[in-house]
Amino acid sequence: PQHKTTKDGTVKVKWPHGFIYNGQLLRLARDLGNRLLPAFHTETGIPYPRVNLRYGIPFYPESPLHRNAEEGTCHTIQQRSGELTDTCSAGAGSLLLEFTTLSRLTGDPWYEQRAKKAFWAIWDRRGSTGLVGAGIDAESGRWVSSYTGIGAGIDSFYEYAAKAHVLLSGAPSGVSTGQHPHNVTDQSEGLFSQHDDPQSYLDVWTDSHRAINHHLRRGKMYIHPHYIQADVFTGAARAFWSDSLSAFFPGLLAFVGDVEEATESHLLQTALWNRYSALPERWSISSGNVEAGLGWWGGRPEFIESNYYLYQATKDPWYLHVGEMVLRDIKRRCWTRCGWAGIQDVRSGERSNRMESFFLSETAKYLYLLFDPDHPLNKLDAPYVFNTEGHPLILPRHGRRGQRRRASKSMTPSKAGVPSSSSKAPIQRVLGSSTWGYIPRCKPCSTTLHANTRYDRVALD
C-alpha cells in the first residue's frame, strides 16, 4: 500500500484496485464505542452486561442516566424490567486495552477513562484473599458468588492487568483531568482514576499472582501442578476441576517471564489433549474424568495460545511437536466442507453444528504464528500485546514516549511480546476525524434519555 498525505494533513492509504483507506474502520470503531458507552452509566463504574446498540440502556432504570425528570428521565422506564445486572470480572474488567487504543487513536479520552474506572472498580472489591470473584452485580458492586479461580468469568481480568502494563509503559498518560473536552458533565463521581501509572497495573498482576499461588495453586507435591477453585473471602477450597479457559494461564505466566511455573502448569493440559485429542470444557482433577458431562471443545484457543507463548519464551522444539499434534487432531476431527466444526463430545468425537469466531481469530492465528518464526509479529521489538481475542494492539507512535519505554525499570522490551528468560527483575522478568454518536431513546414513548450526555452529538437514525 502507498501512503499519501493531503493538504489538510489527512493520511490516506492507497491499496490495489483503487481502494483508498482514510479512516473508515476507525470511524466505525468509534461509532461502536459510543454505542457501548451507555452501559458504563452505573453508580459503581462497573458496566452493565447488556446494552442496546440503538437505544442504550432504557431497561436499566436504576442507572444514573435516568436519575430524574430534570435530567431526561422517561417515567415509563421506572419499573424494573427484570434485565440481569450481574456481570463477570473478565467481561467488565477486560475492556482496558481496546478502549485505551481507541482513545489514543481518536484523541478522545472518554473510552479509556470508562474502561480504567471499570477495571479498578473490580479490583477495589477484591476479597480479603486478594482474589477477585467470578460474578459481580454492576449496580450494587457485590459479588454474586463466592467462587473464584483462574478460568471462566475471571481469566482475562488477570491477563489485562499484565498486558495493560506493557501497552501503557511506552505511552504518556492518556487520561485528562478536569473538564471533558466536549464540555460534558458526568453523573458519576470518580471518573478520572488516580491509577494511571502503568506500574499500578503490574502491581495488580503481582499481587494477584501471589494470591493465586497462595490459595489456588497446587504445586509439585501433587501428582501434577494445577489450580483449584476457592472461596474469594476465605480462600477455602471449593471445587477441584480444570476448565479449558484456564489453559490461558501458562501463556500469561510465560508472557510476564515466569517460565518455570508456566512450563509446569502447561503439562496437565498437554496430557489432557494427548488423551482426548482435544481439551474438554471441564475436567475433574479428583476423579480424572470429564466433569459433569462438560465434554465439548468448541475450538477454544487458550491451550494453543499458551503453547505459542512458551515456545517464544524458550525456543524448545518440544512445543513445536505439541503444536503439530494439535494441528493434526484439528484437521482430522474438525474439518468439514464448509468450515471447522467444534467437537460436541471429545470422548466420542461427535461434532457440533457450528464454528466459533474465535477459532479463526485466535486458534488458527496462534498455530500459524507458532510455525512461522519469520513473521513480523514474532520479531517486533515494541510494547505491543495481543488482546483476549487474539488481535495485536499497539499504541500510535505519537502517543508513545520516545523510542524506548522508560515508564518502568522492572520491564524491558523483548521480541514477540514474550519474556526474556535471562532477565533478573525482582518481581516479573519481563517480556520482551469527526465525532459519531447517537441519541438513546426509550420505547414506547421515544423520549430522549438524558439528552445532555455525550451520546447526543450526532443522531445516526
Side-chain angles (χ1 to χ4, degrees), residues 143 290 294 313 376 394 414 425:
W143 298 111
V290 172
L294 303 178
I394 187 169
S414 68

Side-chain angles (χ1 to χ4, degrees), residues 100-108 112 116 164-175 196 198 383 394-407:
T100 295
T101 302
L102 182 59
S103 280
R104 305 303 173 91
L105 289 173
T106 61
D108 188 339
E112 182 176 348
K116 284 183 175 179
H165 174 78
V166 174
L167 187 69
L168 296 172
S169 287
S173 170
V175 176
D196 195 39
I394 187 169
L395 297 182
R397 292 180 180 179
H398 58 75
R400 301 205 303 269
R401 298 189 188 99
Q403 296 180 351
R404 296 291 180 188
R405 288 175 290 183
R406 299 194 296 270

Side-chain angles (χ1 to χ4, degrees), residues 341-361:
I343 302 175
Q344 189 63 33
D345 192 319
V346 297
R347 295 163 294 187
S348 66
E350 177 190 357
R351 293 173 179 171
S352 58
N353 189 23
R354 62 184 295 164
M355 175 181 173
E356 301 288 353
S357 62
F358 52 68
F359 179 82
L360 290 181
S361 69

Side-chain angles (χ1 to χ4, degrees), residues 227-248:
Y227 303 87
I228 66 168
Q229 287 66 48
D231 190 284
V232 70
F233 302 110
T234 67
R238 298 290 299 272
F240 302 91
W241 44 259
S242 174
D243 62 358
S244 60
L245 286 168
S246 64
F248 91 101

Side-chain angles (χ1 to χ4, degrees), residues 335-392:
W335 183 85
T336 69
R337 294 181 63 183
C338 57
W340 298 87
I343 302 175
Q344 189 63 33
D345 192 319
V346 297
R347 295 163 294 187
S348 66
E350 177 190 357
R351 293 173 179 171
S352 58
N353 189 23
R354 62 184 295 164
M355 175 181 173
E356 301 288 353
S357 62
F358 52 68
F359 179 82
L360 290 181
S361 69
E362 298 181 79
T363 306
K365 183 182 296 180
Y366 286 120
L367 281 172
Y368 180 88
L369 290 174
L370 175 66
F371 293 110
D372 185 8
D374 295 325
H375 193 281
L377 286 174
N378 287 331
K379 295 184 174 183
L380 182 60
D381 187 4
Y384 85 94
V385 296
F386 288 103
N387 74 350
T388 194
E389 298 299 328
H391 305 307

Side-chain angles (χ1 to χ4, degrees), residues 253-421:
L253 292 171
F255 176 87
V256 298
D258 290 301
V259 178
E260 182 178 354
E261 184 182 345
T263 302
E264 293 177 356
S265 304
H266 187 61
L267 290 175
L268 174 59
Q269 280 92 16
T270 305
L272 289 176
W273 189 286
N274 186 59
R275 176 179 177 181
Y276 293 108
S277 296
L279 208 61
E281 183 69 9
R282 188 181 292 182
W283 182 79
S284 173
I285 296 170
S286 56
S287 70
N289 296 307
V290 172
E291 171 88 0
L294 303 178
W296 62 81
W297 181 73
R300 289 198 187 278
E302 286 76 17
F303 173 66
I304 295 97
E305 175 186 3
S306 288
N307 193 71
Y308 163 74
Y309 277 115
L310 276 163
Y311 177 69
Q312 294 299 318
T314 66
K315 299 302 181 183
D316 188 336
W318 185 77
Y319 296 104
L320 294 177
H321 293 296
V322 173
E324 183 181 5
M325 172 183 69
V326 170
L327 184 59
R328 290 180 181 275
D329 287 335
I330 290 175
K331 291 177 66 176
R332 175 173 57 90
R333 307 187 79 187
C334 301
W335 183 85
T336 69
R337 294 181 63 183
C338 57
W340 298 87
I343 302 175
Q344 189 63 33
D345 192 319
V346 297
R347 295 163 294 187
S348 66
E350 177 190 357
R351 293 173 179 171
S352 58
N353 189 23
R354 62 184 295 164
M355 175 181 173
E356 301 288 353
S357 62
F358 52 68
F359 179 82
L360 290 181
S361 69
E362 298 181 79
T363 306
K365 183 182 296 180
Y366 286 120
L367 281 172
Y368 180 88
L369 290 174
L370 175 66
F371 293 110
D372 185 8
D374 295 325
H375 193 281
L377 286 174
N378 287 331
K379 295 184 174 183
L380 182 60
D381 187 4
Y384 85 94
V385 296
F386 288 103
N387 74 350
T388 194
E389 298 299 328
H391 305 307
L393 297 176
I394 187 169
L395 297 182
R397 292 180 180 179
H398 58 75
R400 301 205 303 269
R401 298 189 188 99
Q403 296 180 351
R404 296 291 180 188
R405 288 175 290 183
R406 299 194 296 270
S408 171
K409 295 182 179 179
S410 67
M411 299 193 76
T412 57
S414 68
K415 294 181 179 180
V418 296
S420 169
S421 57

